Amino acid sequence: MENLEFEKEFQEKLEFEVEKEKLKEVIDIIAKEILSLVEKRKEFTQYILDYRKKFIEEYKDDEDRLIEFFDHERYVKEDAYKSIDRKLKELTILKPTPYFGRVEFSEEDYGIERMYIGRFGVVPEDSLDPVVIDWRAPIASLFYEGKLGDVSYKAPAGEVAVNLLNKRQYIIKNEELKGMFNSEVDIKDDILQMVLSKNAGDKLKDIIMTIQKEQDDIIRDGQYKVVVVDGVAGSGKTTIALHRVAYLLYNHRKQLEDKVLIVGPNKIFMEYISSVLPTLGETGVKQSTYKELGEYIIDEDVMSYKDYMEAILNGDEELIKDIRYKTSDLFIEDLDKLISNLEKGYFTLEDVVFRGKLVVDTKELSDLFNVHYKNMPLFRRSQKVKRIIYSKLKDRRDELVREININFEKEKDSIDPSELDLQITDLEFRRRNDIRDVISELIRIKKSLTFIDNSSIIDIYNKFNEDKILMLDDLAPIIYLKVKLEGYKLDEEVKHLVVDEAQDLCKLQLIVLREITKCNSMTILGDRNQRMLPTEGEIAFTELKDIYPGTEVSNYALKTSYRSTKEIMEYANSLLKEEEIIPLVRNGEPVVEKVVSSEETLKDCLFDKLMRFREKGYESIGIIGKNLEECRKIHDMLKENINIRLLENENIIYKSGMVVIPSYYAKGLEFDAVIAIDKDKNEKDIQEERKLRYVMATRALHELCVYKVNS
């Protein structure tokens, strides 16, 4: 028995030494590739400079050739530099941790193969065989399989069956092998536990080594479809979305580069996730909040996200009633009725007459509107018809000018040659005056065509909206009118759209996002339990098969939370009535619930708890209050004795440290430790606010403390 254990231990040490040598070999290859790329860039730069000098000397007198050369040179230079720089960045990021896994498999007719999986791929310049496989490559999906044995991966040529013999995971830091495990990627895997135990900032970037089978299936799903993820708090929705973007760009770069748009709930959230894609080698992805995007399209400001959420949380009944209406199917029906009424009677058509001649009659105008261009949006149709009227007026103007010129020539010919010199000036003056009169009348007629002018979409909507202050829920209907009446779509092409925190978007908002992007490739993510807005009925993003008819939609439900400890998720489950979250078995400190009866007691408790959290090495600590008023009071209590920030608007950048933050800004974020402030309420209020408390509780990774303030 001892001999067997000794043999096993010896074998493990031997394998560890072999893997250390392999790591050294790979690092040396990466270092050589980096030096080669740096040298290539120098040579390329020198070539461009020399060629430019020669070309300028040769064609210094030919301006057109020089402009053409510099346009072409800029294109070539940008394209080549982009390629070299991308690879340099990737290898520089990769060098400290070249790979995190290895798969060993056998394929019929090919024998046993071993492949190392890393954040990026490495293929030496003088070889066709990869040293490290990019995690996004089709064959790398074997690493994320939840079992050994007969499995398959999707190659460009089709499904490839293999026998997966072993999977190995590595812990490599600063070019040094710290440990390795043979694993079936069980959910209780040691490396997964290690990564989840990290602080918030590091954990968000380390998911590629711990992606689970259910997450990998979403990441690698097809491009031309709408992928919908309804996942509980901590199920990895946002990181799945970002890694899906990286995966799609890797496999469809020519189609998707600079054509991916991510839409999120607020600027704090967008800033929080902005550091992830660059670590995956992707920097050209556009990001926007829904509010920013909407305000850019309508060219108007609406109520701030902060004021909007504060009004909801403080129980503004009129606003809440308005939100319920504007997020309902009835509101869409009323908008469609408005559009239909505009179609029927917006323009009162009139005959267009120029100098006694009918240029266009009402019947012809009616035919243009209702027959020939019927399928055009109404206001684009009116502009088209106006251009046709202008064209006919121009024809009539040209006809009149020709008549004037013919009459001028006739009169000129009728004058005795001996008198012509005396009268020609007067004739010319009258000819020019007549032409000027025609042009003046044409301008007047054009200005009089007000019956075919379009009103501002904002003016139309404000009248429909009874001139109420515009808020977030007014963006979608205004854009909807722009789409239906003007045929609006975004100037910049979008080939893949990601919508995060979609549980707070209504049906109309999702319709509008599709209309303005014309996107058939989308990833939409949310958590039905985190809906903070007072909308009614089904949560829209779970009904996309009905909202986007004729589009392929894949629905995924993620029930397992990887974020928080078992104790925190059990507490979060107690707040839910509809469904329970399955926590990963990662044990931690018990959730602390404490009732405090005075502000002084609360201050002492907060100070003591913050000090304890800091002593434990937590880098991000959040005190989460329901609204800004609560948060300001807490910040005022603490700011004299401790360095703590108040996140009171979404322009503040948060990376780490201690913060006081309202619940609506905390959505989508995560902290190493959270202190939730819970005002003492009656049972009715608890039922109405349980989802808000669920959001606050599930921001915590490692520790949660809830102070119930008895007001």
Side-chain angles (χ1 to χ4, degrees), residues 43 70 87 91 114 150 154 168 223 285 347-348 362 364 395 413 424 444 480 486 499 511 513 581 600 621 639 705:
E43 289 172 8
F70 279 110
K87 201 64 201 168
L91 292 179
R114 284 180 175 177
D150 292 334
K154 290 178 184 174
R168 178 168 286 177
Q223 179 189 358
V285 176
F347 296 110
T348 306
T362 52
E364 187 178 352
D395 291 344
D413 291 343
I424 190 67
R444 182 189 61 75
Y480 187 72
E486 296 179 346
V499 183
I511 289 170
L513 283 171
I581 302 166
E600 197 58 41
I621 303 166
K639 66 183 180 182
C705 178

Side-chain angles (χ1 to χ4, degrees), residues 223-241:
Q223 179 189 358
Y224 296 108
K225 57 163 61 177
V226 176
V227 171
V228 181
V229 182
D230 182 8
V232 298
S235 57
K237 297 182 295 296
T238 300
T239 41
I240 287 169

Side-chain angles (χ1 to χ4, degrees), residues 203-204 207 215 219 236-244 276:
K203 189 178 78 67
L204 199 63
I207 188 179
Q215 297 171 326
I219 290 168
K237 297 182 295 296
T238 300
T239 41
I240 287 169
L242 297 175
H243 285 73
R244 176 163 166 76
V276 179

Side-chain angles (χ1 to χ4, degrees), residues 482-581:
K482 283 181 77 69
V483 168
K484 297 297 181 183
L485 296 175
E486 296 179 346
Y488 178 86
K489 67 175 183 177
L490 284 176
D491 297 331
E492 293 187 39
E493 190 178 18
V494 177
K495 290 281 191 178
H496 187 78
L497 175 67
V498 178
V499 183
D500 206 348
E501 299 293 332
Q503 69 276 354
D504 283 331
L505 295 186
C506 67
K507 181 178 177 179
L508 182 61
Q509 289 166 325
L510 290 168
I511 289 170
V512 158
L513 283 171
R514 174 70 173 280
E515 288 283 355
I516 61 174
T517 59
K518 302 298 180 189
C519 238
N520 288 319
S521 177
M522 302 169 75
T523 304
I524 299 181
L525 314 101
D527 176 5
R528 64 177 66 230
N529 296 313
Q530 292 189 58
R531 181 165 67 173
M532 296 177 74
L533 301 184
T535 52
E536 292 178 341
E538 286 299 319
I539 296 169
F541 87 101
T542 64
E543 303 288 310
L544 284 179
K545 283 187 178 177
D546 297 326
I547 296 172
Y548 300 156
T551 302
E552 186 180 354
V553 178
S554 291
N555 285 293
Y556 293 90
L558 298 178
K559 304 292 185 186
T560 303
S561 175
Y562 302 94
R563 176 188 291 153
S564 308
T565 63
K566 179 171 176 280
E567 290 77 9
I568 292 169
M569 294 320 299
E570 284 175 351
Y571 178 82
N573 274 334
S574 72
L575 300 170
L576 296 179
K577 303 295 179 184
E578 295 162 15
E579 58 182 308
E580 287 206 349
I581 302 166

Side-chain angles (χ1 to χ4, degrees), residues 50-307:
D50 292 345
Y51 186 64
R52 179 189 292 177
K53 187 178 177 183
K54 181 183 173 185
F55 198 93
I56 288 171
E57 285 174 3
E58 193 172 338
Y59 294 100
K60 60 185 177 184
D61 297 324
D62 190 338
E63 191 177 309
D64 291 338
R65 287 296 300 271
L66 286 173
I67 290 168
E68 184 184 330
F69 165 74
F70 279 110
D71 282 348
H72 177 69
E73 182 203 45
R74 186 166 61 248
Y75 169 76
V76 171
K77 185 178 176 184
E78 283 178 2
D79 203 48
Y81 258 77
K82 198 182 280 186
S83 175
I84 292 171
D85 276 351
R86 175 184 291 281
K87 201 64 201 168
L88 263 175
K89 283 174 187 173
E90 288 179 357
L91 292 179
T92 305
I93 292 169
L94 199 63
K95 192 167 175 277
T97 308
Y99 47 84
F100 52 80
R102 189 191 80 186
V103 289
E104 191 174 329
F105 61 92
S106 64
E107 189 179 342
E108 197 174 347
D109 301 330
Y110 289 98
I112 294 174
E113 291 192 60
R114 284 180 175 177
M115 290 194 173
Y116 288 82
I117 315 294
R119 193 180 293 269
F120 305 109
V122 180
V123 182
E125 192 176 10
D126 55 356
S127 170
L128 294 174
D129 297 323
V131 174
V132 179
I133 298 288
D134 192 300
W135 71 274
R136 296 167 288 187
I139 199 166
S141 65
L142 295 175
F143 179 73
Y144 301 108
E145 281 288 343
K147 62 177 183 176
L148 299 180
D150 292 334
V151 294
S152 64
Y153 66 91
K154 290 178 184 174
E159 203 82 16
V160 179
V162 299
N163 180 21
L164 186 55
L165 303 171
N166 189 30
K167 285 185 289 184
R168 178 168 286 177
Q169 291 176 276
Y170 302 94
I171 303 169
I172 300 171
K173 286 186 178 178
N174 298 322
E175 303 181 13
E176 187 181 342
L177 182 63
K178 300 287 188 183
M180 63 186 196
F181 304 87
N182 287 335
S183 172
E184 292 189 22
V185 195
D186 182 64
I187 206 165
K188 303 175 191 69
D189 178 72
D190 292 336
I191 291 183
L192 177 58
Q193 293 280 358
M194 181 191 74
V195 170
L196 294 177
S197 298
K198 285 187 175 186
N199 289 332
D202 297 326
K203 189 178 78 67
L204 199 63
K205 297 175 189 176
D206 278 344
I207 188 179
I208 51 169
M209 68 167 68
T210 60
I211 292 169
Q212 299 299 294
K213 171 67 175 159
E214 63 173 356
Q215 297 171 326
D216 191 58
D217 288 343
I218 298 168
I219 290 168
R220 295 176 192 271
D221 204 344
Q223 179 189 358
Y224 296 108
K225 57 163 61 177
V226 176
V227 171
V228 181
V229 182
D230 182 8
V232 298
S235 57
K237 297 182 295 296
T238 300
T239 41
I240 287 169
L242 297 175
H243 285 73
R244 176 163 166 76
V245 167
Y247 169 79
L248 289 173
L249 281 166
Y250 176 83
N251 288 283
H252 310 281
R253 189 165 301 283
K254 284 186 179 178
Q255 294 170 315
L256 296 178
E257 190 157 39
D258 299 322
K259 295 184 177 77
V260 176
L261 172 64
I262 300 176
V263 177
N266 59 63
K267 288 180 185 175
I268 294 174
F269 174 81
M270 300 309 289
E271 179 61 36
Y272 182 67
I273 67 170
S274 65
S275 60
V276 179
L277 280 170
T279 67
L280 299 171
E282 304 302 343
T283 55
V285 176
K286 295 183 277 288
Q287 298 181 26
S288 175
T289 67
Y290 178 79
K291 181 174 179 287
E292 284 175 321
L293 182 63
E295 287 179 333
Y296 164 76
I297 292 168
I298 72 168
D299 198 24
E300 290 274 340
D301 291 335
V302 301
M303 183 189 294
S304 72
Y305 179 70
K306 177 176 75 176
D307 291 344

